[in-house]
Structures are given as C-alpha cells and as structure tokens.
Amino acid sequence: MAVPGSSARFLEKAQTLESDQFFLDLEDSVAPLAKPGARPGVVEALNQGSWGNRIRVVRINDVSTEWAYRDVVTVVEGAGANLDCIMLPKVQSAAQVAWLDLLLTQIEKAVGLAVGRIGIEAQIEDAQGLANVYAIAAASRRLETIIFGPADFMASINMRSLVVGDQPPGYEADAYHHVLMSILVAARANGLQAIDGPYGRVKDDEGYRRAAQRSAALGFDGKWVLHPNQLPIANEVYAPTQADYDEAELIIEAYDFHTSEAGGRMGAVMLGDTMIDEAARKMALVVVAQGRAAGMTRTTKFERPEGAVRA
Ligand code: GLV
Ligand code: MG
C-alpha cells in the first residue's frame, strides 16, 4: 500500500488495511516544497503507528536530488528500529544501491542499530535502470526486492500512453513483457522478490486486475495498491487458484509416495493424466508455498493406489 508521507489522513487510514507491506512516501507523492516538512511525520508514523506485522518501508527521494541523504539520515536516526526497508526510486546503477548500503551502515553504527538489518527495495523506473538491472539486483546483501515503476518508465522511453501501468493503445502484444521478465529474472537470480508497480486508474478495478494478472502469471510476488479498492484484487490475483493449490499439494504427496519404498521408488509417475517428476515437484512447491502463505486450505486428499503397501 503506497501512502503519501505528508498526509495524516492517509497515514491513519493505511493502518487499518490488510496489506503485506506499506510504504510511506517522501518521493513523488510529496510536493518539492513539502518534502523537508514530511520527514518528521514519517518518523512519527513509524514510531507511533499501529502497523502490526506488515513490512514497514519508507520511499526516499532518488540519489540525484538534494533530499536523498537527509531523507535517510532523518528517517533512520529517528525511527530506524521501526523500519524494515528503505525504497530507493529511479535506481540506474549498482553504485547507487552501494551508496545507500554504506550510508545505512554508517547510521546504524552511529545510533547503535544492528548493522545490516534494514533492507533495500530498488525501483527500476527508466531505460538506464532496466539496462543495468542485473548488476543492480546483485549490488547489496541488503536488497530484498526489485520493483517495476511503470509511470516513470513509460515517461523514460516515450511510451505513448497516459494511463500508468496500462497497455499503450495501438500495440497488440504486451508492451511490458520484456521489462517485467528482465526484472523477474534479475530478482530471482539473486534470490529477491519481484514486485509490480502501480496502476493509475484507481476506480478501474478490471484494468487493475488485467495488469496484475499479467505480472502474476509470469511469477511476480505482488503489486502496489494505490487505493483500498485494489487491495482485495491484488490479494486474490497473486494467490494461486483453489484448483491449482489443491493440485500442487496432491503432486507433493503423490511424488513423496511414489518415490518411497512403499510406492516403488519411481522417479516419474502419472498423477491422473499428468506426468510428475522432480521438476514437477519443484513447480508444485512454489504454488504450495504461495497458497499456504495466503492461508488457503486443501479441498482434496491424495489416495494411495489400490494394493499399495503401507510404509
Ligand atoms: C512508481 O514510482 C512509478 O513511477 O510507476
Ligand atoms: Mg516512480
């Protein structure tokens, strides 16, 4: 859930929503003249707010601005113990991530926080960032997440559309496929999460759903929500369907059984009309983990084949 760091009303509302993470924004949702004044509000919201076990993140201004270093210093000195990650927008190079990593280490040492606990989320938002995404994703042990920023990215490449995160009219294929896949591969190659960015038409639920389904199908872990209406859609789209979750649990159980002594030590077997093997099990483990994380429960049970010996 994205929350403008300068708005007390939004800060309060965000504490009532069931998102996995929220971020308090000091960047593009805060006007330049309001930026210095927004920092104390963010510190207070982190220290006083009831954020439950959601991941607590602050988006600072990008490294090319005069605000970036003081954003980090004020927020981490004032509320570092109540902060999980800093989001760094418009990342263009590995060196920019390294800058944030070093600055965080200096502040953590100065104020007595555990060194290295605060993570980094990097936003890929322009052509240069995308061109360097593999180096960026490997730039720091603090990195937890790579995020796609469609609005800035669309502007950066002159994409012909004014709707943030939607397909540009006139192009029949998915205009974001290369971008999303590059971010996803860079993230996974480094054991990081991949998160899709905002969809601008906050009252267009179907538009949000379409955009979310594309990145969810590729394997993204989630997507920003700009409005509470988008939250249930995201929670639904990024969780597996009940049928997929049930099937994945069955695959794990069936594979465990068939590879066992009692099941005949088989490496590849049929489950219904599908062949399952070690790779199929790995795919199923992903879906099982997502389903369990979403609190899903099974509606089917694995039946041992007739005549199987009990182990
Ligand atoms: C988000 O920061 C975006 O630019 O889409
Ligand atoms: Mg942006």
Side-chain angles (χ1 to χ4, degrees):
M1 176 84 208
V3 191
S6 58
S7 163
R9 183 167 67 87
F10 284 127
L11 287 171
E12 227 167 83
K13 173 81 184 166
Q15 293 172 48
T16 67
L17 301 173
E18 287 187 15
S19 59
D20 296 325
Q21 163 175 324
F22 63 90
F23 76 85
L24 306 178
D25 192 22
L26 291 172
E27 204 220 11
D28 282 355
S29 68
V30 180
L33 290 177
K35 283 187 192 287
R39 293 182 192 120
V42 163
V43 169
E44 189 187 319
L46 288 170
N47 289 337
Q48 311 295 332
S50 310
W51 299 107
N53 52 14
R54 275 166 292 173
I55 298 167
R56 303 155 299 179
V57 181
V58 172
R59 180 167 73 164
I60 62 167
N61 288 282
D62 78 83
V63 300
S64 72
T65 68
E66 65 272 40
W67 302 296
Y69 79 99
R70 208 180 286 282
D71 288 346
V72 184
V73 172
T74 305
V75 168
V76 180
E77 282 192 354
N82 295 315
L83 174 70
D84 298 307
C85 283
I86 294 279
M87 188 188 301
L88 188 60
K90 300 181 179 63
V91 180
Q92 295 181 314
S93 67
Q96 295 180 352
V97 176
W99 164 81
L100 180 56
D101 185 327
L102 279 174
L103 183 54
L104 283 169
T105 300
Q106 290 164 0
I107 303 169
E108 285 166 341
K109 283 182 176 168
V111 299
L113 293 167
V115 172
R117 191 193 61 81
I118 296 174
I120 297 176
E121 303 193 344
Q123 272 189 289
I124 299 299
E125 307 201 75
D126 62 17
Q128 215 175 328
L130 188 65
N132 291 329
V133 67
Y134 296 107
I136 290 168
S140 163
R141 293 166 72 99
R142 292 183 190 262
L143 274 167
E144 295 184 10
T145 306
I146 307 293
I147 303 167
F148 176 44
D152 279 294
F153 188 84
M154 292 163 84
S156 143
I157 63 163
N158 297 359
M159 190 180 275
R160 218 188 281 171
S161 167
L162 288 171
V163 185
V164 173
D166 214 339
Q167 298 292 323
Y171 187 69
E172 296 307 321
D174 179 355
Y176 299 104
H177 180 78
H178 167 70
V179 187
L180 292 175
M181 204 46 143
S182 303
I183 289 173
L184 185 59
V185 171
R188 295 294 188 249
N190 291 282
L192 309 179
Q193 292 194 102
I195 296 291
D196 193 5
Y199 181 78
R201 289 221 159 114
V202 296
K203 299 217 166 127
D204 179 358
D205 290 354
E206 278 319 300
Y208 181 86
R209 181 181 291 277
R210 268 196 313 276
Q213 274 166 341
R214 280 195 309 265
S215 65
L218 289 180
F220 271 60
D221 300 293
K223 181 172 178 64
W224 283 16
V225 306
L226 299 179
H227 188 279
N229 285 351
Q230 297 177 331
L231 192 51
I233 305 173
N235 283 338
E236 180 197 322
V237 170
Y238 288 91
T241 62
Q242 184 67 47
D244 281 353
Y245 174 63
D246 281 336
E247 188 178 342
E249 291 276 17
L250 280 184
I251 290 172
I252 306 293
E253 255 188 303
Y255 185 78
D256 280 354
F257 170 70
H258 287 293
T259 50
S260 72
E261 199 67 52
R265 295 193 252 160
M266 309 277 280
V269 286
M270 295 300 287
L271 178 65
D273 43 16
T274 305
M275 189 277 297
I276 59 169
D277 63 1
E278 178 58 28
R281 177 176 171 274
K282 283 196 185 112
M283 291 164 68
L285 280 174
V286 173
V287 177
V288 162
Q290 290 169 340
R292 290 182 189 172
M296 296 174 83
T297 49
R298 298 179 63 171
T299 61
T300 55
K301 204 164 139 276
F302 172 65
E303 304 287 351
R304 283 172 183 231
E306 293 279 304
V309 187
R310 293 240 151 235

